[in-house]
Amino acid sequence: MTTPPARATLPNAPTLAEAFRVWAKIGLLGFGGPAGQIALMHKELVEDRRWIGEQRFLHALNYCMLLPGPEAQQLATYIGWLLHRTAGGLMAGLLFVLPGALVMLALSSLYALYRHVPLVDALFFGVKAAVLAIVVQAVVRIGRRALRNRLTVGIAAAAFLAIYLLHLPFPLIIALAGLTGWIGNRYAPALFVPAGNGARGEAPEVPGVVDAMFERGELAHAAPSWGRALRVAATWLPLWLGPVLLLWATTGSSSVWTQIGAFFSVMAVVTFGGAYAVLAYVAQAAVDSFGWMTPGEMVDGLGLAETTPGPLILVVQFVGFLAAFRNPGAIDPLLAGTLGALLTIWVTFAPCFFWIFLGAPFVESLRGNRALSASLSAITAAVVGVILNLALWFSLHVLFRQVESVEFLGLRPDLPVPGSVDWRAALLAAAAMVALLWFRLGLFTTLAGCAVAGICLRLLLS
């Protein structure tokens, strides 16, 4: 019989100051998207410091994957909350976001001021090609994990056609997919078994500081309580939505401030499937509905977000910055852009803290819920179709200079004008895909290489 690791070998519970240093390190080094960020947290918190046990870490991750929003940031908030209550959760979640948000704000300002300088324009020409390859890679990676049978492939295809041909809104597609999974679980549950995310029993038991604190009864704040849940809702809902209502009352429903607050508040509720999935929704609204930016600028924003630490969803900060920068009203455009970026960040991430502080004590009740797991499985399949649409959208606007919306039998697909193909962009995009998918070069290497290649092409052809 194998003896479990001795509890005496566990380190002491970290102080708030010790936790601050570790969360700051994770926030500064959190490159590589959610997979890299979760791997970094696992190394720092499970392997190196043993602050949380293996199974509890994976269980927390599974819960965060059920939520809208960036799962890595919510996982940090969850673990910080376990260790140091609300203060720890706020500290972990904020430090996960702030370094990347500050970098993104600086990059957005430089972009708005110097975007049309020839050298900068050439650099972003190359970055666009790399971004297209990164999104295609995301389609391949997520598709391999999520599409395990003909039914899930069909859900992905239906989601793609719904958003590409019918232009159905992203929240409606997600709701229909979830309903499909919930109904399907009643009649064919075997078809909706979610892919393994490290569920309980799939990993060896490696105890951590949090596990020992549970055993000693030191985590009373983790016990579920409806009274506490009501207090959390009464605190966080006004914090999240209060600024939006205040802006609506003072500036009107048509102001850019109300539009930013309302739109990104809705987005925060429906961002299942990660940043790549929601980008199609954001691009559709920012480009077509609100007219805040062009398709090429949306691609540029994703390129900037890929180079910063923190969650990729920080690309929405770039969108909010440009929206306010171009509609400043009576204030300085750069100040307006900064305020727009801060508003976007607030309404995007305030709900993340709300979901964790409200739901974490009840997380045990979600374990083994087959109907919920089936709904999530169907949503994940639909997300593949949505990301495929994003890849096509980027392809059309990166590889062609002109794109037209064609109406046919009630369908409205976007099609390229054949004579407008940009062979330089096509060449760079093909090279980026080979680098990422065949040679498996890193994200930064591919981005940097395409940026340099874009500058060289412009210099050679000018």
Side-chain angles (χ1 to χ4, degrees), residues 71-292:
E71 63 265 30
Q73 187 265 351
Q74 290 169 330
L75 178 62
T77 304
Y78 189 109
I79 297 173
W81 169 79
L82 281 175
L83 286 166
H84 296 107
R85 301 176 179 259
T86 301
L90 285 171
M91 180 177 67
L94 289 173
L95 287 175
F96 194 90
V97 172
L98 283 178
L102 292 174
V103 173
M104 196 66 183
L105 180 59
L107 292 175
S108 300
S109 302
L110 292 172
Y111 182 92
L113 295 174
Y114 303 109
R115 167 67 178 84
H116 296 294
V117 173
L119 184 64
V120 177
D121 186 61
L123 183 147
F124 276 102
F125 174 78
V127 167
K128 285 186 179 74
V131 168
L132 174 57
I134 290 168
V135 176
V136 170
Q137 183 190 45
V139 174
V140 174
R141 184 179 66 247
I142 298 174
R144 285 175 177 169
R145 187 183 70 213
L147 307 182
R148 301 174 316 282
N149 53 49
R150 292 181 179 179
L151 179 61
T152 50
V153 170
I155 292 174
F160 169 76
L161 295 175
I163 197 168
Y164 175 63
L165 294 180
L166 302 176
H167 293 267
L168 294 184
F170 176 71
L172 178 60
I173 293 172
I174 291 300
L176 291 174
L179 181 62
T180 300
W182 183 77
I183 295 174
N185 177 68
R186 300 186 63 182
Y187 300 101
L191 296 177
F192 291 92
V193 177
N197 294 316
R200 189 184 186 100
E202 294 180 359
E205 175 58 56
V206 179
V209 170
V210 170
D211 303 270
M213 293 171 70
F214 262 106
E215 290 183 1
R216 295 194 298 267
E218 297 174 359
L219 296 182
H221 64 283
S225 163
W226 287 109
R228 178 189 173 280
L230 289 174
R231 289 193 297 272
V232 169
T235 301
W236 280 94
L237 285 176
L239 283 174
W240 167 21
L241 298 175
V244 181
L245 295 174
L246 181 62
L247 288 168
W248 173 77
T250 56
T251 66
S253 60
S254 60
S255 76
V256 69
W257 311 105
T258 303
Q259 289 175 345
I260 290 173
F263 172 70
F264 287 109
S265 290
V266 172
M267 187 211 70
V269 179
V270 299
T271 51
F272 296 94
Y276 287 114
V278 78
L279 277 178
Y281 174 46
V282 173
Q284 184 184 54
V287 174
D288 299 329
S289 301
F290 296 112
W292 291 335

Side-chain angles (χ1 to χ4, degrees), residues 334-414:
L334 199 58
L335 175 59
T338 301
L339 294 175
L342 294 176
L343 174 61
T344 304
I345 286 292
W346 179 256
V347 297
T348 298
F349 287 99
C352 297
F353 293 102
F354 174 53
W355 308 138
I356 295 300
F357 295 149
L358 179 70
F362 298 94
V363 66
E364 289 297 327
S365 65
L366 295 175
R367 301 180 72 174
N369 189 313
R370 293 184 178 180
L372 186 59
S373 297
S375 293
L376 180 63
S377 180
I379 288 172
T380 305
V383 161
V384 177
V386 173
I387 300 176
L388 179 60
N389 173 74
L390 177 68
L392 179 60
W393 190 87
F394 277 175
S395 299
L396 292 174
H397 292 94
V398 169
L399 305 181
F400 296 88
R401 296 185 181 92
Q402 290 181 277
V403 177
E404 296 179 339
S405 183
V406 179
E407 287 206 30
F408 177 73
L409 298 177
L411 307 177
R412 292 177 291 134
D414 292 330

